Amino acid sequence: MTYQDIHAARFLTRPNRFIARVELDGREETVHVKNTGRCKELLVPGCTVYLEGSANPARRTKYDLVAVEKSRPGLPPLLINMDSQAPNRVFREWLEAG
């Protein structure tokens, strides 16, 4: 499974379970969060998040938040996938590949 059209951004806030506000290329964007869990220990203001762009012009948001970097003192940051549907897609790809 691979993501297309990935952009790094800075996390700002998460007003509700479904959206977040991020800073992308110097402008504030509202993005869809692909995980409705709280994730307060991951989505910390200022952290680096990764967005996947959408080509669907009918969407309310142009991007999905798919991953976040979790800082660890003395260690490199840990990249955590936030897409709650990713395990299902990975399993389907594996199953179809035999």
Side-chain angles (χ1 to χ4, degrees):
M1 183 185 115
T2 58
Y3 291 103
Q4 305 299 316
D5 193 25
I6 296 297
H7 306 269
R10 187 171 64 90
F11 177 78
L12 301 174
T13 64
R14 187 173 183 186
N16 65 44
R17 294 178 359 189
F18 304 102
I19 64 168
R21 291 202 174 90
V22 301
E23 182 182 324
L24 174 65
D25 299 328
R27 69 184 187 287
E28 189 172 316
E29 285 278 342
T30 299
V31 300
H32 176 255
V33 179
K34 297 193 86 164
N35 186 323
T36 59
R38 291 177 46 152
C39 306
K40 286 188 175 196
E41 68 282 358
L42 299 174
L43 295 175
V44 177
C47 73
T48 300
V49 293
Y50 294 91
L51 314 174
E52 180 179 39
S54 172
N56 181 353
R59 283 181 45 142
R60 286 183 165 182
T61 61
K62 187 175 177 181
Y63 301 97
D64 290 318
L65 192 154
V66 295
V68 60
E69 281 187 4
K70 172 72 173 163
S71 62
R72 304 179 300 165
L75 295 169
L78 187 62
L79 186 62
I80 299 174
N81 188 303
M82 295 285 293
D83 182 353
S84 61
Q85 292 300 309
N88 295 337
R89 288 196 308 264
V90 169
F91 179 76
R92 181 178 181 174
E93 287 178 15
W94 174 80
L95 190 61
E96 289 173 349

